[in-house]
Amino acid sequence: MDAGDLATWVGSSFAAIAAGATIWTLKSQRDQIDEQRQFIAEQSATLALERAELMAAAHDRKIAQARQVEMKVELTVQNGAPADANGEPIPDIFRIEVRNLSAEPIHEVTVRFGEQEAEEASAAVEADLLRRGLTVVSDGPRLNVPVPLVGAGRIYLFISGSLLAEVNRHRPALHFTDNVGVRWRLNEHGDLRDFAHPG
């Protein structure tokens, strides 16, 4: 074998080896990239799950105080209310008992009536709790509405103006701000919504 053929053969061998090394390197890099993509996808899924759990926990913390506010609705008869065909007085006044069973105060507390909730309770009275489940309305002064502060464990009675025959169209809804500044709406069926997500 002459020197020219040997040099060509050696050059071709090195070129083949270099090409093989390049292919192996590219395949190895491709495998590493695929592994990294799979790792990133798994990490992204884990982070998304952790984020969802954190958001759920934050929502639970946010709503915790609001869930401890209760509303009890009673329809009563005002003195001198008109009577129906059977001579029975027509209930025309809502009395809404609002209980703050949380450990913190609630603020700007009011009860609103009607489809657009444009009508506000006419007055509020603080009630004294004798034992759980039984309240007596104090003879204290009527307070203006909204009540600026309802302390922890306190009970207030909100009284509507006379609604007469339109009571079914003027169902009550409680509005209040929790102790961290979130505004809430609670209806008589226990549906609680914050004003950032009213729907």
Side-chain angles (χ1 to χ4, degrees), residues 108-130:
E108 296 301 311
V109 184
T110 189
V111 176
R112 306 188 73 82
F113 303 91
E115 292 174 8
Q116 301 299 317
E117 297 180 9
E119 199 168 321
E120 195 160 48
S122 61
V125 179
E126 186 168 7
D128 296 316
L129 183 64
L130 297 182

Short mmCIF file of all heavy atoms in Angstrom, two decimals, residues 108-130:
data_model
loop_
_atom_site.label_atom_id
_atom_site.label_comp_id
_atom_site.label_asym_id
_atom_site.label_seq_id
_atom_site.Cartn_x
_atom_site.Cartn_y
_atom_site.Cartn_z
N GLU A 108 -68.93 47.95 58.72
CA GLU A 108 -69.90 48.50 57.74
C GLU A 108 -70.99 47.47 57.43
O GLU A 108 -71.20 47.07 56.29
CB GLU A 108 -69.18 48.95 56.47
CG GLU A 108 -68.21 50.09 56.69
CD GLU A 108 -68.90 51.32 57.27
OE1 GLU A 108 -69.94 51.74 56.74
OE2 GLU A 108 -68.38 51.87 58.28
N VAL A 109 -71.69 47.06 58.48
CA VAL A 109 -72.68 45.99 58.38
C VAL A 109 -74.05 46.58 58.08
O VAL A 109 -74.51 47.50 58.77
CB VAL A 109 -72.72 45.17 59.69
CG1 VAL A 109 -73.68 44.00 59.57
CG2 VAL A 109 -71.32 44.70 60.07
N THR A 110 -74.70 46.05 57.05
CA THR A 110 -76.04 46.51 56.69
C THR A 110 -76.82 45.37 56.06
O THR A 110 -76.26 44.37 55.65
CB THR A 110 -75.97 47.71 55.72
OG1 THR A 110 -77.28 48.25 55.57
CG2 THR A 110 -75.43 47.32 54.36
N VAL A 111 -78.14 45.55 56.02
CA VAL A 111 -79.02 44.62 55.31
C VAL A 111 -79.73 45.43 54.23
O VAL A 111 -80.24 46.52 54.50
CB VAL A 111 -80.03 43.95 56.26
CG1 VAL A 111 -81.00 43.08 55.48
CG2 VAL A 111 -79.30 43.12 57.32
N ARG A 112 -79.73 44.88 53.01
CA ARG A 112 -80.34 45.56 51.87
C ARG A 112 -81.47 44.70 51.32
O ARG A 112 -81.44 43.48 51.46
CB ARG A 112 -79.30 45.88 50.81
CG ARG A 112 -78.11 46.68 51.38
CD ARG A 112 -77.18 47.18 50.31
NE ARG A 112 -77.78 48.27 49.57
CZ ARG A 112 -77.80 49.54 49.96
NH1 ARG A 112 -77.27 49.88 51.09
NH2 ARG A 112 -78.37 50.47 49.23
N PHE A 113 -82.44 45.36 50.69
CA PHE A 113 -83.65 44.68 50.20
C PHE A 113 -83.90 45.00 48.74
O PHE A 113 -83.47 46.03 48.23
CB PHE A 113 -84.87 45.13 51.01
CG PHE A 113 -84.74 44.90 52.48
CD1 PHE A 113 -84.22 45.90 53.30
CD2 PHE A 113 -85.12 43.71 53.06
CE1 PHE A 113 -84.09 45.71 54.66
CE2 PHE A 113 -84.99 43.50 54.42
CZ PHE A 113 -84.47 44.51 55.22
N GLY A 114 -84.64 44.12 48.08
CA GLY A 114 -85.09 44.37 46.72
C GLY A 114 -84.18 43.77 45.67
O GLY A 114 -83.08 43.31 45.95
N GLU A 115 -84.67 43.78 44.43
CA GLU A 115 -83.94 43.17 43.32
C GLU A 115 -82.59 43.83 43.11
O GLU A 115 -81.60 43.19 42.85
CB GLU A 115 -84.78 43.23 42.04
CG GLU A 115 -86.01 42.33 42.11
CD GLU A 115 -86.92 42.49 40.92
OE1 GLU A 115 -86.52 43.18 39.96
OE2 GLU A 115 -88.02 41.92 40.95
N GLN A 116 -82.53 45.13 43.20
CA GLN A 116 -81.27 45.85 43.04
C GLN A 116 -80.61 46.13 44.39
O GLN A 116 -79.60 46.81 44.46
CB GLN A 116 -81.50 47.17 42.29
CG GLN A 116 -82.12 47.01 40.91
CD GLN A 116 -81.24 46.19 39.99
OE1 GLN A 116 -80.03 46.37 39.95
NE2 GLN A 116 -81.86 45.29 39.24
N GLU A 117 -81.25 45.65 45.45
CA GLU A 117 -80.78 45.86 46.82
C GLU A 117 -80.53 47.34 47.09
O GLU A 117 -79.56 47.74 47.71
CB GLU A 117 -79.54 45.01 47.10
CG GLU A 117 -79.84 43.53 47.01
CD GLU A 117 -78.66 42.62 47.27
OE1 GLU A 117 -77.61 43.10 47.69
OE2 GLU A 117 -78.82 41.41 47.04
N ALA A 118 -81.47 48.14 46.60
CA ALA A 118 -81.33 49.59 46.73
C ALA A 118 -81.88 50.09 48.06
O ALA A 118 -81.55 51.19 48.48
CB ALA A 118 -82.07 50.27 45.57
N GLU A 119 -82.70 49.29 48.71
CA GLU A 119 -83.34 49.72 49.95
C GLU A 119 -82.59 49.15 51.14
O GLU A 119 -82.32 47.96 51.21
CB GLU A 119 -84.79 49.22 49.95
CG GLU A 119 -85.68 49.96 50.91
CD GLU A 119 -87.14 49.62 50.67
OE1 GLU A 119 -87.53 49.49 49.49
OE2 GLU A 119 -87.86 49.48 51.66
N GLU A 120 -82.24 50.02 52.09
CA GLU A 120 -81.45 49.60 53.23
C GLU A 120 -82.34 49.47 54.47
O GLU A 120 -83.38 50.11 54.57
CB GLU A 120 -80.35 50.65 53.48
CG GLU A 120 -79.25 50.18 54.39
CD GLU A 120 -78.00 51.03 54.19
OE1 GLU A 120 -78.13 52.27 54.19
OE2 GLU A 120 -76.91 50.47 54.06
N ALA A 121 -81.91 48.62 55.41
CA ALA A 121 -82.63 48.50 56.68
C ALA A 121 -82.77 49.88 57.30
O ALA A 121 -81.89 50.73 57.18
CB ALA A 121 -81.87 47.57 57.62
N SER A 122 -83.90 50.12 57.97
CA SER A 122 -84.14 51.45 58.52
C SER A 122 -83.39 51.69 59.82
O SER A 122 -83.05 52.82 60.15
CB SER A 122 -85.65 51.66 58.75
OG SER A 122 -86.13 50.72 59.68
N ALA A 123 -83.11 50.62 60.57
CA ALA A 123 -82.41 50.78 61.84
C ALA A 123 -81.84 49.44 62.28
O ALA A 123 -82.19 48.39 61.74
CB ALA A 123 -83.36 51.31 62.91
N ALA A 124 -80.96 49.49 63.27
CA ALA A 124 -80.40 48.29 63.87
C ALA A 124 -80.40 48.46 65.38
O ALA A 124 -80.33 49.59 65.89
CB ALA A 124 -78.98 48.05 63.37
N VAL A 125 -80.52 47.34 66.10
CA VAL A 125 -80.52 47.35 67.56
C VAL A 125 -79.57 46.25 68.01
O VAL A 125 -79.61 45.14 67.48
CB VAL A 125 -81.93 47.07 68.13
CG1 VAL A 125 -81.92 47.06 69.64
CG2 VAL A 125 -82.93 48.09 67.61
N GLU A 126 -78.71 46.54 68.97
CA GLU A 126 -77.84 45.48 69.50
C GLU A 126 -78.65 44.57 70.39
O GLU A 126 -79.50 45.01 71.16
CB GLU A 126 -76.66 46.07 70.26
CG GLU A 126 -75.67 45.00 70.67
CD GLU A 126 -74.36 45.55 71.19
OE1 GLU A 126 -74.25 46.77 71.37
OE2 GLU A 126 -73.46 44.74 71.42
N ALA A 127 -78.39 43.27 70.28
CA ALA A 127 -79.11 42.28 71.08
C ALA A 127 -78.16 41.65 72.09
O ALA A 127 -76.96 41.59 71.88
CB ALA A 127 -79.70 41.20 70.17
N ASP A 128 -78.71 41.18 73.19
CA ASP A 128 -77.92 40.52 74.22
C ASP A 128 -78.15 39.02 74.15
O ASP A 128 -79.30 38.57 74.11
CB ASP A 128 -78.32 41.01 75.62
CG ASP A 128 -78.02 42.49 75.79
OD1 ASP A 128 -76.93 42.92 75.39
OD2 ASP A 128 -78.90 43.20 76.30
N LEU A 129 -77.08 38.26 74.14
CA LEU A 129 -77.19 36.81 74.08
C LEU A 129 -77.31 36.26 75.50
O LEU A 129 -76.42 36.40 76.31
CB LEU A 129 -75.95 36.22 73.40
CG LEU A 129 -75.92 34.72 73.20
CD1 LEU A 129 -77.04 34.30 72.25
CD2 LEU A 129 -74.59 34.30 72.62
N LEU A 130 -78.47 35.62 75.80
CA LEU A 130 -78.66 35.03 77.12
C LEU A 130 -78.02 33.64 77.16
O LEU A 130 -77.32 33.28 78.07
CB LEU A 130 -80.15 34.91 77.45
CG LEU A 130 -80.90 36.24 77.55
CD1 LEU A 130 -82.35 35.98 77.92
CD2 LEU A 130 -80.25 37.13 78.61
#
